[in-house]
Amino acid sequence: MKPSRRSRLRRLATPFVVPPVFDFWAQRLHPTWSWERPLARVLAHAPAAANAVTLTLKPNRHWTGAQAGQHVNLTADIDGVRITRSYSLDAPVAADGRITVTVKGVDEGRMSRHLLASARRGDVFDIGPAFGDLVLPAKVDGAWLFLAAGSGITPLMALVRQLAGQGMPVPVTLVYWARTRAELCFVDELRALAARHAGFDVRFVLTREAAVADDEAAGRIDAGLLDALVPDLATRQVFACGPGGFVATAIELVEGRVPLLRTEAFTPPPRPQADDSGMVEVRLARSGRALQLPRGVPLLQALEAEGLKPKYGCRMGICNTCACGKASGATRDLRTGAANTEATAALKLCISSAVSDLVLDL
């Protein structure tokens, strides 16, 4: 394919362009113009539920897109500090490139509080490449079960909307947990989809309120409730997303009983018990520093306590923003309890703790 005139001009100009300088002046003309930096502008900001908001964003042409069910990192300058957090798209990317994310407020969460209370139409964020494996296969068949709790509804809502756009080609049941009715998102849309598509069933489960509607239930996830809501569970392909404890329970209840299980947790699951007392020496190869860090604590958290500021995004082992090289030493995966003594180029600091003395590429 013959390169476009724009691409030829860009190639010729590249040796002479300093991207930050170009961006500084280009953004005086348009807020998302940049040489190579992916940016996204807020087009709309609307309430989604109690303590939750939906943002509509328009990324610039440098962003490479996403599949329904994936996440992106958004970065903002808040009170002079650059903060990055990971958010799920709650719908497939629109034909014009628009995306939506629904954000729930987190106590002491600087980014989520900013997005809920301070973000306005016209604000611009850095946007990272999409990541995450909670996506539908190219060929969707069989019957599906989506288990969502809290903010775990957002990637699964994207999948529901993707399937609805295809006419809901397979039977789908969504079971969605929240503490109270006011905290449920997308309720009217989900009920409308259930009324429109005979193969789509939704059940809202409340953990702190009684059920009053036909499509509501009450209680935490357990075998009895799951079997009552989904009597054909053994035939279902299952996606589950929510807090770590919820996902760990879902795995315990359905693993080995269903033809497919794929999960994603947005908080760490309960940590396996291990003898992780005491301190180790962690040498930082690039800076030459040697630190005494505690065992059993995520390396990202331990390094931050020493005043370092490693890059990070999701803080749950998905986005790889905090990954760095480990030249030697043993670490433990805090999600599984498994120890790793091999050198690696991609140690995830947010979900790894030190077991022995380490040498990190920092």
Side-chain angles (χ1 to χ4, degrees), residues 45-47 51-55 78 103-106 109-121 123 125:
H45 181 285
N51 199 33
V53 66
T54 296
L55 300 178
I78 303 174
V103 178
K104 183 178 176 60
V106 177
R110 294 182 66 183
M111 184 68 151
S112 68
R113 304 316 311 176
H114 174 77
L115 295 179
L116 264 68
S118 303
R120 294 292 182 267
R121 182 175 179 177
D123 288 356
F125 300 102

Side-chain angles (χ1 to χ4, degrees), residues 118-336:
S118 303
R120 294 292 182 267
R121 182 175 179 177
D123 288 356
V124 174
F125 300 102
D126 286 82
I127 183 169
F131 60 90
D133 299 321
L134 206 67
V135 299
L136 293 173
K139 181 181 180 182
V140 180
D141 54 16
W144 289 77
L145 171 63
F146 296 155
L147 304 174
S151 297
I153 186 59
T154 50
L156 296 180
M157 187 66 192
L159 299 182
V160 168
R161 286 168 164 164
Q162 178 183 2
L163 291 168
Q166 300 168 2
M168 207 62 75
V170 293
V172 177
T173 294
L174 168 66
V175 186
Y176 173 17
W177 277 262
R179 292 177 297 183
T180 66
R181 198 170 286 103
E183 295 177 74
L184 292 166
C185 297
F186 316 116
V187 173
D188 291 342
E189 181 180 354
L190 287 167
R191 283 176 169 156
L193 288 172
R196 190 179 310 139
H197 299 283
F200 179 60
D201 184 36
V202 61
R203 288 291 180 267
F204 303 102
V205 187
L206 307 173
T207 60
R208 295 188 182 177
E209 292 181 347
V212 296
D214 291 342
D215 58 2
E216 293 180 351
R220 297 186 179 276
I221 185 171
D222 62 26
L225 181 59
L226 203 54
D227 287 340
L229 295 175
V230 195
D232 61 345
L233 174 64
T235 70
R236 299 279 180 155
Q237 301 178 74
V238 180
F239 279 11
C241 186
F246 172 86
V247 171
T249 300
I251 292 171
E252 181 180 343
L253 291 174
V254 308
E255 192 169 36
R257 298 179 59 191
V258 298
L260 172 70
L261 172 62
R262 189 170 295 171
T263 65
E264 196 167 81
F266 59 79
T267 62
R271 295 176 185 173
Q273 294 297 315
D275 182 12
D276 279 333
S277 58
M279 309 289 284
V280 298
E281 181 179 270
V282 176
R283 290 198 296 116
L284 309 182
R286 293 185 193 176
S287 66
R289 292 185 63 180
L291 305 171
Q292 295 294 314
L293 300 184
R295 294 188 177 98
V297 174
L299 282 164
L300 177 61
Q301 179 181 329
L303 291 166
E304 289 173 333
E306 293 293 323
L308 279 76
K309 296 182 179 180
K311 292 182 179 180
Y312 66 87
C314 67
R315 302 183 80 99
M316 56 186 178
I318 298 175
C319 72
N320 289 317
T321 303
C322 69
C324 75
K326 180 187 73 172
S328 65
T331 54
R332 189 182 310 283
D333 187 321
L334 291 169
R335 301 168 300 180
T336 65

